[in-house]
Amino acid sequence: MALLVNRILIRGIIIVLANGCNFVDTFRKSKSKAERSVTSGAELGTVIGEPLGSKAYGQNDTELAALYAVSTSHPPAPIRPDADVHFRRLLLQFRSEGSQVARLIGEVEAYRDLLGGASKDFSKKPLEDYDATSLLALIKASELICESLVAPTPDKHGNWQTALPQDPSEVTENITFLYQRLTGSKNSDLDATTLSSLKSVLTTWSPGGIYDASSYVPVCVAISVDGEALFL
Amino acid sequence: MKHSYLTRNIVLFLLSLGAWDLVQASENPGRALKRAKYLLNGQFPSDSELQATGVDDNSYKTAVRGFLDSQLFYDATLRYHERLFGTGLQSDYLDELLNDNLEGNGSKLAKVFCGREKGRLTCDWASSDDARRVSSCPANWQVATTAFWYPGLVTWVCPTLQRSCGSDLSKCLVVEQDSSLALNAELGTTEAFDAKSSVVKSLSRQSAGIATGVVIGNYPYTKVLEPGLTAVDGAIAYLYQQSHHFDLSKMNVGTSLLNYSKQVPLNSRHFTLINTGSSYEQGGVISTFGWLRRYEKNRTRGNQVYERLLCRKFTSELPRVFPQDPGNLRTAAGCSGCHASLDPLADFFSTWGEGGELYTGQKPGVASTFAGQSGSSVSELSEIIRLDDAFASCTVENVWEWLMGRRFYDDEAPLRAAFSSYFFKVNYSFKELVYAVVTHPAFREGSRADALVSTPLSPPPLGQPPGTSTQLPDCSTYGSISFATHISPKASACSNCHSAGSQRQPLVTKADWANLKSLSVSMMSSGSMPPGLSGPPFSGSAWDFKELVRCWDGVTP
């Protein structure tokens, strides 16, 4: 028995080695999240070569207190998330940086100009708000992203799993989760009217009350064009 | 049919939302936290983060501090500066840097294609005629070698290729057949790598990389204009190893920079600051290849400095009839309004060639003036800008707009002055400026208003020393100041080095001080002089003396 196990093990190792870096690659992938959270090389902000002189100062509480006392009557303006990097940022909240993310961003890239992104040389700046074209492009790009998040398939998305936290039948929990993650709002901010509207999107897409992960793609898209997602 | 159902229901959902509630006339920690985390870290906060932050003021501020200390702040800062500097490059600019002996002949480039077949990653020579990979050996002769662009990646290559390209393939130009994959992947995160697109992307971002390095390292933000300071990431470090392919002297890459850049890992996606020491043609972000090639005319380079770093625009009323030959634009009616300032500013860049002439090497400088200061080189221009309070004020304006979504209103002059003062007092810490804005009640306001500012605040005047916005004491508080009584007895810290016969401009006599009053106040205000100060002085003997010089009328003996 031990001999059989050893033979299988040895054969397995040979097969792996014959396929080159697969073993290494698999091993590397398993710790890739940790690796990618550490910068290779010098610590960020260090200087090679001649010294750059003294650092700037830290927080000054006394001066800050005086600064806070200077007020204004004008509120902030709504900010549209950067059209060029928004989908990458959204994706990286759920997935690790890698070839699959790059491939998906490549698909979204086809819509970047319509989304209102900047030109390569920044002669055209990113759009600060939305027009009809950018909104429609946003819906289409959101479809691509939402499909990869909630209903990934092996042929398109490799080994990605759905980001839904619960079984698809747990409608309220899943919709609440999606709304919170895609808009940055509190769970309690999802009011009954909005929840009901999102449920109606779900039931329209999947009549009969039988839901799977793909049933949530239109819900995800709908949330992506919610006011709370469109502007900060 | 199903698609139309989908679209219709999404539209109905949108309509059912109703008007977005804009009226929340008080602080809203949840909304502020969401905006802060997205702008500073590129992520939305979780529900538990939102619950925790709504507890009290300290929890919000602690959360913001966490955002600034996160590694994710690097990406946010890089993107902010990418947009601020706008130095995106076309990919064919890299072809301009090819060695002349290659004669523009692609077949002379050592290019390799890498790709997987049956799960095995192999790299082969690239055919110059088409996109084929050309193997120079049978598969069973191939040897394992590392790939510099991806930690732990092993690829199989022919021995001749390994000998030519090195044990990590860094001596060759790597071409990725799926270029969109390489272009959309950050270096070091995927096995796809395309040398050309990665290098051009990094060169485009190099100015942003300098500024980001300064910010993350918490150096004074004025260092972004430090002559001799540059930033290198893995792709640029890789480019610098390609001296057999590219004429690096065209980019003014000297030996010290080449040597220092070898310390940067070739798969590093982050920029590392490299300081080679001052050089007359250098000025930090305004002398990178990206800046000089993207803004290829000297007038354009000057104009971009004026707009992006000083928040000003050249505007002038044009004549009714534009003359066919206006002659000297600096004096011609209708032209001089801009060109009287723009052309001298452009002259500071004259040491560099324009457009394709960028690569012809440095030329002699042209004596010029800007904001009342004289100079002839990019390094002197960068010094003039750094020592001008308008640079700090403009930084405040740019950060404000980034975080608040709008410019300052004219009735917010005290607020801009207060932020500028704080920025000065923290020795130009960009991080602390961001913290100050994000924790200010104005940012935490829950309501929103139009981004279009109907009555914008004008930029401050040029030529003011740093810290002017700190609302310095009125000079009348010091009484009458004379040179002999107040300045001369305390000037030894300066005149010990700035004496007649030394290589430095003398600061001994009344005439010397009158002549250099403005510059000396600027140097003392910024903490550059006397030597030994760790930053701008706010009290003590250095402050006192600076105030005396500032308030001296330059005449009273």
Side-chain angles (χ1 to χ4, degrees):
Chain A
M1 183 63 180
L3 189 60
L4 179 62
V5 169
N6 281 343
R7 279 183 180 169
I8 292 170
L9 194 60
I10 290 168
R11 196 166 296 168
I13 291 172
I14 290 171
I15 289 170
V16 165
L17 288 176
N19 281 324
C21 62
N22 275 357
F23 175 76
V24 175
D25 201 32
T26 303
F27 178 69
R28 183 204 44 73
K29 276 178 186 170
S30 70
K31 59 173 190 174
S32 62
K33 276 187 185 175
E35 274 187 338
R36 286 174 197 135
S37 68
V38 175
T39 306
S40 57
E43 191 181 309
L44 292 180
T46 56
V47 182
I48 295 173
E50 299 199 7
L52 198 51
S54 303
K55 300 259 188 160
Y57 305 149
Q59 182 176 325
N60 185 322
D61 290 329
T62 307
E63 295 295 333
L64 267 181
L67 174 56
Y68 293 154
V70 183
S71 62
T72 176
S73 60
H74 303 284
I79 294 176
R80 177 188 167 173
D82 192 328
D84 291 314
V85 297
H86 174 61
F87 283 112
R88 172 185 286 277
R89 287 174 170 174
L90 189 66
L91 210 50
L92 290 177
Q93 287 188 151
F94 298 89
R95 310 296 189 195
S96 295
E97 189 79 77
S99 57
Q100 196 55 52
V101 167
R103 200 164 282 120
L104 196 51
I105 295 302
E107 291 182 43
V108 173
E109 192 68 13
Y111 299 96
R112 200 163 65 84
D113 190 46
L114 297 172
L115 283 166
S119 59
K120 204 172 192 177
D121 61 359
F122 286 95
S123 56
K124 187 185 101 167
K125 294 179 185 177
L127 268 187
E128 301 285 339
D129 52 16
Y130 299 93
D131 54 22
T133 303
S134 59
L135 212 48
L136 287 169
L138 185 74
I139 291 174
K140 185 57 195 171
S142 297
E143 268 187 59
L144 294 170
I145 298 296
C146 285
E147 189 185 22
S148 76
L149 289 181
V150 302
T153 55
D155 58 326
K156 285 186 187 176
H157 309 109
N159 60 357
W160 283 357
Q161 303 298 312
T162 180
L164 293 176
Q166 306 288 345
D167 184 86
S169 61
E170 305 289 339
V171 172
T172 302
E173 289 79 5
N174 285 324
I175 289 179
T176 304
F177 168 82
L178 285 175
Y179 190 81
Q180 198 287 310
R181 298 306 293 134
L182 297 178
T183 67
S185 308
K186 284 186 207 171
N187 286 348
S188 54
D189 286 345
L190 178 58
D191 58 68
T193 307
T194 309
L195 179 61
S196 172
S197 299
L198 289 170
K199 281 182 176 176
S200 70
V201 174
L202 184 71
T203 54
T204 303
W205 181 254
S206 300
I210 300 173
Y211 309 124
D212 60 12
S214 65
S215 307
Y216 287 87
V217 173
V219 177
C220 174
V221 174
I223 295 172
S224 299
V225 292
D226 178 271
E228 288 294 330
L230 291 177
F231 288 103
L232 302 174
Chain B
M1 181 66 89
K2 213 171 187 182
H3 185 75
S4 65
Y5 265 127
L6 166 67
T7 309
R8 187 184 75 179
N9 277 283
I10 289 173
V11 170
L12 285 173
F13 167 70
L14 289 174
L15 291 173
S16 72
L17 289 178
W20 181 21
D21 181 15
L22 292 173
V23 182
Q24 296 181 45
S26 63
E27 287 191 16
N28 187 322
R31 183 166 261 187
L33 188 79
K34 165 186 165 175
R35 186 159 165 146
K37 185 164 188 184
Y38 187 86
L39 290 174
L40 303 183
N41 282 182
Q43 291 182 344
F44 284 132
S46 65
D47 185 64
S48 55
E49 281 180 286
L50 289 163
Q51 298 291 348
T53 310
V55 174
D56 56 30
D57 181 61
N58 279 337
S59 59
Y60 174 79
K61 288 176 176 171
T62 302
V64 172
R65 182 57 67 187
F67 301 156
L68 295 172
D69 291 339
S70 165
Q71 290 212 342
L72 295 172
F73 184 55
Y74 173 95
D75 292 319
T77 308
L78 186 72
R79 179 60 186 169
Y80 163 83
H81 285 103
E82 268 193 285
R83 291 179 62 157
L84 176 64
F85 298 140
T87 53
L89 298 173
Q90 302 296 336
S91 57
D92 54 1
Y93 286 167
L94 198 61
D95 298 333
E96 295 175 354
L97 296 170
L98 285 172
N99 266 325
D100 291 335
N101 62 2
L102 292 174
E103 299 164 359
N105 189 341
S107 65
K108 292 190 177 182
L109 292 171
K111 285 198 290 190
V112 298
F113 270 136
C114 295
R116 284 193 177 271
E117 280 178 8
K118 297 175 187 173
R120 179 175 157 117
L121 182 69
T122 61
C123 295
D124 297 305
W125 293 114
S127 163
S128 60
D129 298 325
D130 53 38
R132 283 182 302 119
R133 285 192 281 162
V134 181
S135 181
S136 56
C137 72
N140 57 349
W141 289 12
Q142 290 176 337
V143 296
T145 191
T146 57
F148 69 87
W149 61 89
Y150 196 29
L153 185 64
V154 172
T155 178
W156 295 85
V157 303
C158 293
T160 51
L161 193 149
Q162 187 186 53
R163 280 196 293 276
S164 300
C165 298
S167 61
D168 61 356
L169 306 184
S170 63
K171 294 286 182 284
C172 291
L173 289 176
V174 181
V175 180
E176 171 60 43
Q177 286 177 296
D178 186 354
S179 60
S180 70
L181 185 63
L183 195 61
N184 293 303
E186 289 294 336
L187 182 59
T189 64
T190 174
E191 64 185 41
F193 176 75
D194 183 80
K196 192 171 186 178
S197 57
S198 291
V199 169
V200 171
K201 184 162 82 172
S202 290
L203 287 176
S204 299
R205 289 170 161 180
Q206 196 172 27
S207 287
I210 293 172
T212 303
V214 167
V215 168
I216 299 300
N218 201 33
Y219 288 99
Y221 194 68
T222 48
K223 294 292 183 184
V224 303
L225 292 165
E226 180 85 0
L229 184 66
T230 188
V232 171
D233 68 355
I236 294 179
Y238 161 71
L239 169 69
Y240 289 167
Q241 290 192 20
Q242 302 285 317
S243 55
H244 44 287
H245 285 139
F246 299 103
D247 183 355
L248 298 177
S249 65
K250 290 180 177 178
M251 300 173 73
N252 195 40
V253 175
T255 310
S256 57
L257 178 55
L258 287 175
N259 288 335
Y260 287 137
S261 68
K262 289 174 183 171
Q263 297 182 41
V264 179
L266 298 181
N267 56 25
S268 174
R269 62 175 279 244
H270 292 109
F271 282 92
T272 300
L273 292 174
I274 295 180
N275 188 14
T276 57
S278 184
S279 189
Y280 78 100
E281 80 285 358
Q282 299 291 325
V285 299
I286 63 174
S287 61
T288 60
F289 175 77
W291 189 281
L292 295 170
R293 195 63 190 89
R294 169 69 180 87
Y295 307 125
E296 54 183 19
K297 301 290 184 191
N298 287 336
R299 281 197 181 121
T300 313
R301 293 162 184 163
N303 187 38
Q304 296 304 317
V305 166
Y306 203 68
E307 283 197 14
R308 295 174 189 272
L309 301 184
L310 297 171
C311 295
R312 317 174 80 81
K313 285 189 183 297
F314 283 109
T315 54
S316 181
E317 203 172 307
L318 293 173
R320 279 190 184 181
V321 179
F322 204 82
Q324 226 175 6
D325 180 11
N328 186 346
L329 296 178
R330 302 185 192 202
T331 55
C335 305
S336 61
C338 296
H339 284 275
S341 300
L342 175 59
D343 286 12
L345 177 55
D347 283 345
F348 281 94
F349 288 95
S350 59
T351 192
W352 289 94
E354 295 184 313
E357 296 292 312
L358 179 66
Y359 313 111
T360 57
Q362 275 75 62
K363 303 174 183 178
V366 172
S368 190
T369 58
F370 177 68
Q373 306 288 339
S374 302
S376 62
S377 65
V378 177
S379 65
E380 285 170 322
L381 175 64
S382 70
E383 193 74 356
I384 292 169
I385 296 169
R386 291 200 294 173
L387 295 179
D388 196 312
D389 196 52
F391 173 66
S393 183
C394 181
T395 302
V396 167
E397 292 206 33
N398 287 333
V399 169
W400 174 267
E401 185 176 10
W402 170 43
L403 298 169
M404 293 289 286
R406 61 167 178 81
R407 309 291 288 186
F408 283 105
Y409 280 86
D410 59 357
D411 60 3
E412 290 177 324
L415 193 54
R416 185 180 70 185
F419 276 114
S420 298
S421 172
Y422 185 74
F423 189 38
F424 175 72
K425 289 182 178 175
V426 291
N427 198 13
Y428 304 113
S429 169
F430 186 94
K431 259 191 197 179
E432 296 308 323
L433 174 62
V434 170
Y435 179 85
V437 175
V438 173
T439 55
H440 194 279
F443 180 89
R444 296 160 70 167
E445 167 62 49
S447 62
R448 297 286 182 261
D450 200 343
L452 188 64
V453 173
S454 51
T455 53
L457 181 58
S458 302
L462 287 174
Q464 299 300 310
T468 306
S469 305
T470 59
Q471 296 174 328
L472 294 167
D474 194 279
C475 284
S476 62
T477 58
Y478 300 122
S480 176
I481 298 174
S482 76
F483 177 77
T485 307
H486 299 99
I487 295 179
S488 181
K490 298 176 182 175
S492 59
C494 308
S495 55
N496 283 344
C497 297
H498 289 268
S499 56
S502 73
Q503 290 186 338
R504 297 180 178 84
Q505 291 168 304
L507 284 169
V508 179
T509 65
K510 180 177 87 74
D512 293 338
W513 279 96
N515 190 37
L516 293 169
K517 176 172 158 359
S518 175
L519 181 61
S520 62
V521 170
S522 293
M523 299 288 280
M524 286 188 282
S525 295
S526 67
S528 302
M529 285 292 163
L533 290 180
S534 60
F538 303 117
S539 62
S541 56
W543 164 269
D544 293 340
F545 184 66
K546 184 266 291 182
E547 284 292 282
L548 288 172
V549 177
R550 179 179 73 86
C551 293
W552 175 52
D553 60 9
V555 174
T556 307

